[in-house]
Every structure is written in structure tokens, then in C-alpha cells.
């Protein structure tokens, strides 16, 4: 276990903010950093004060990918048995919305981490890429799958096969980021978005996230049936009665998360 925390957690209003904290190595995603990140995410997911989560790096780098030094000596068996994939996959079980606030480099596993989040707010200086081809490998933490589902086959091919990198503005054009903000304001913008979501009906937010994610994994018919079941389920919540009553009586709703 490392002495220096490789991630730092703060609470801002109803938002849990996690800062990747290994600037000397460009926030390279070592197994220990990833373990601390996933532990922090799970702690915020269980924290009742928190309605949404933001993950950020610093103004120069979000994360430059897996730790190439550590990976350079690994065998196929090390990679298979090392638990790295399982670590990375823990983000998928987090129920609260996660926003990646990206400034500077988001490369390789760093870009894959951003794409595993639910939304991305980018600083004007953000740069996104999958440079693994330069190392003689391909993305291994979802890059070929999540990128292709978002930007389509042709651009994904160029990014994975020829290290094409995207500026923040290009990423916005291709639907990869929700918002581009000035580099001195991107984190505030991400926190603002997260706070706005945190103030909404918590169960509807949770099921909305689940339903949108299901769209990426199912046929349209299965997805529509799944959505409908979640929709019906929300009529068993106090927040549904409250939301509709508040609308009809022209008053702000008071969500209970029940
Ligand atoms: N790993 C280790 N150290 C890194 C690093 C990385 N990914 N990226 C940067 N560094 C270190 C550099 O070695 C350098 O260290 P010192 O020389 O100061 O000791 C320091 O950070 C600064 O880097 P530069 O001197 O290169 O700085 P520049 O500003 O010139 O360039 C850069 C910054 C981020 C553009 C450049 O460093 C760079 O291109 N870095 C490598 C990016 C990269 O190739 N990333 C992809 C790595 S492969 C999986 C899950 C995930 C993955 C795979 C499998 N499973 C679940 C199975 C992920 C794989 C990857 O991400």
C-alpha cells in the first residue's frame, strides 16, 4: 500500500469529487491508483450526502493511461491473472452518475476511464486518444467498444489503428463530450452539472442511468421492455407522487429518495 494517497476525495455540496493524484507519472493508472479510485467511488456511492460524482485529474493531465513501466515487464498470464480488468470493471457497478472532468491528456486507459463515466466535461486543452498501437498493443479497458459505439466505426478505426487524437472541440463534435469549457472553468462546470443532477429525484436518476446504459447492451425490443418496467416501478415511489403534485400545484418538489 502506497503512503501517498493516489486519489483525493472532497465533498462539494451534494457532489463527491475524486482527484487523481499521481502528477509526476501523468496520473498513470497503476493497479494501486486504480484500486484507490474504485474504493473511493464505492465509498461515495454508499455516502448518503452524495448524489453525483466527479472524477478529475489536474489542468495538464486527466490520465496518461496504464503504467507503461509496470506493463512493459508483464506476461500474458500476468495481465490475465493480475486482476486489472476486474479493478477497472468495478466502475460499472457504481449506481450514482459519474462525470469525468477532463483537462489535458486523456490517453489510453485514461481515455477509457473517462468513457466509462456517464458524462464528460472537457477543458479547451483536453486531448483524447488511444495510443496503444505505438506500444504494439490495442486498447484493453473498453476503448475499442465504447469509442466505436460513440463515434462510429470509421473514426474509431483511425484512432485505434493510427493514434488519431481529438481536441476537445472535435470530441464535442463527435458526441464524446457533453460540454467544452475554458481550462480555468472546466471543473466548476462539471461540479455545477453534477450538483444539478444531485438535486433531482434520486431513484429516477439511478434508474435513468441504468436504462440508458442498458441501451448499449441490448436490442431495441429488449431495451424498450426494460425501460417500461423501470418506468412502472417509479410509480411505486413517493417521489413520483411528489413530483407530479408539485408540478400541478406550481411549487418546487421536495425529493425524499423514497
Ligand atoms: N505510464 C508511465 N509513465 C508515464 C505514462 C504512462 N502511461 N505517461 C507519461 N509517463 C511519464 C513519462 O515517462 C515521464 O516520466 P519521467 O521521464 O519524468 O520520469 C513523465 O510521465 C512525463 O512524460 P513526458 O516526458 O513524455 O511528457 P510530455 O509532456 O512530453 O508528454 C504524454 C506527455 C502524456 C503525451 C506522453 O508522456 C505520452 O504519450 N505518454 C504515454 C501515453 C500512452 O501511451 N498511454 C497509453 C498507455 S497503454 C487494461 C486496462 C487498461 C489498459 C490496458 C489493459 N485491462 C483492463 C486489461 C491501458 C493501457 C494503456 O493505457
Amino acid at each position: 500500500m502506497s503512503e501517498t494517497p493516489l486519489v483525493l476525495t472532497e465533498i462539494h455540496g451534494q457532489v463527491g469529487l475524486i482527484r487523481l493524484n499521481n502528477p509526476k507519472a501523468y496520473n498513470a493508472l497503476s493497479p494501486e491508483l486504480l484500486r484507490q479510485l474504485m474504493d473511493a467511488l464505492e465509498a461515495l456511492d454508499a455516502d448518503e450526502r452524495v448524489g453525483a460524482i466527479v472524477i478529475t485529474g489536474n489542468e495538464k493531465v486527466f490520465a496518461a493511461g496504464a503504467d507503461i513501466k509496470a506493463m512493459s515487464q508483464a506476461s500474458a498470464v500476468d495481465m490475465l491473472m493480475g486482476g486489472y480488468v476486474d479493478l477497472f470493471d468495478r466502475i460499472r457497478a457504481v449506481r450514482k452518475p459519474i462525470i469525468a472532468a477532463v483537462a489535458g491528456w486523456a490517453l489510453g486507459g485514461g481515455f477509457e476511464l473517462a468513457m466509462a463515466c456517464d458524462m464528460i466535461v472537457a477543458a479547451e486543452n483536453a486531448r483524447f486518444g488511444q495510443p496503444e498501437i505505438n506500444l504494439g498493443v490495442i486498447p484493453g479497458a473498453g476503448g475499442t467498444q465504447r469509442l466505436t459505439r460513440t463515434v462510429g466505426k470509421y473514426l474509431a478505426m483511425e484512432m485505434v489503428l493510427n493514434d488519431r487524437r481529438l481536441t476537445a472541440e472535435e470530441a464535442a463534435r463527435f458526441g464524446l463530450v457533453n460540454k467544452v469549457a475554458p481550462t480555468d472553468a472546466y471543473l466548476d462546470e462539471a461540479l455545477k452539472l453534477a450538483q444539478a443532477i444531485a438535486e433531482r429525484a434520486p431513484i429516477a436518476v439511478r434508474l435513468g442511468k441504468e436504462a440508458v446504459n442498458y441501451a448499449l447492451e441490448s436490442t431495441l425490443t429488449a431495451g424498450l421492455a426494460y425501460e417500461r418496467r423501470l418506468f412502472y416501478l417509479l410509480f411505486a415511489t413517493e417521489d413520483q407522487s411528489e413530483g407530479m403534485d408539485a408540478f400541478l400545484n406550481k411549487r418546487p418538489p421536495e425529493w425524499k429518495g423514497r
Side-chain angles (χ1 to χ4, degrees), residues 73-84:
Q73 301 303 319
S75 68
V77 174
D78 293 335
M79 290 306 284
L80 179 70
M81 303 302 281
Y84 198 63

Side-chain angles (χ1 to χ4, degrees), residues 24-26 28 64-68 71 84-85 105 107-109 131-132 135 140-141:
K24 274 195 206 139
Y26 274 52
D67 187 336
I68 298 172
M71 240 179 359
Y84 198 63
V85 178
W105 297 109
L107 296 177
E132 289 88 344
L135 304 170

Side-chain angles (χ1 to χ4, degrees), residues 23-29 34 60-61 63-71 79-80 83-89 105 107-112 129-132 134-135 137-142 163 165:
K24 274 195 206 139
Y26 274 52
N27 286 333
L29 302 173
L34 219 45
K60 286 201 184 126
V61 63
D67 187 336
I68 298 172
K69 203 168 169 196
M71 240 179 359
M79 290 306 284
L80 179 70
Y84 198 63
V85 178
D86 302 332
L87 263 178
F88 225 100
D89 262 2
W105 297 109
L107 296 177
F111 183 27
E112 290 169 304
Q130 299 283 178
E132 289 88 344
N134 302 329
L135 304 170
V137 293
I138 64 170
D163 189 20
R165 300 185 187 189

Side-chain angles (χ1 to χ4, degrees), residues 100-103 120-126 128 168 177-182 186:
V102 177
I120 302 178
V121 172
E124 278 164 357
N125 75 347
F128 302 89
V177 312
N178 295 73
K179 185 173 182 123
V180 179
Y186 78 103

Side-chain angles (χ1 to χ4, degrees), residues 215-238:
L216 299 173
E217 314 215 4
S218 68
T219 61
L220 181 60
T221 304
L224 290 172
Y226 191 71
E227 177 193 80
R228 223 163 289 144
R229 284 194 290 273
L230 296 182
F231 179 74
Y232 297 147
L233 179 62
L234 285 164
F235 282 73
T237 65
E238 291 174 31

Side-chain angles (χ1 to χ4, degrees), residues 117-156:
C117 295
D118 302 307
M119 284 165 261
I120 302 178
V121 172
E124 278 164 357
N125 75 347
R127 297 289 180 274
F128 302 89
Q130 299 283 178
E132 289 88 344
I133 197 77
N134 302 329
L135 304 170
V137 293
I138 64 170
T144 62
Q145 303 304 300
R146 291 198 176 94
L147 181 61
T148 307
R149 280 167 164 79
T150 305
V151 305
K153 171 179 160 181
Y154 305 98
L155 180 58

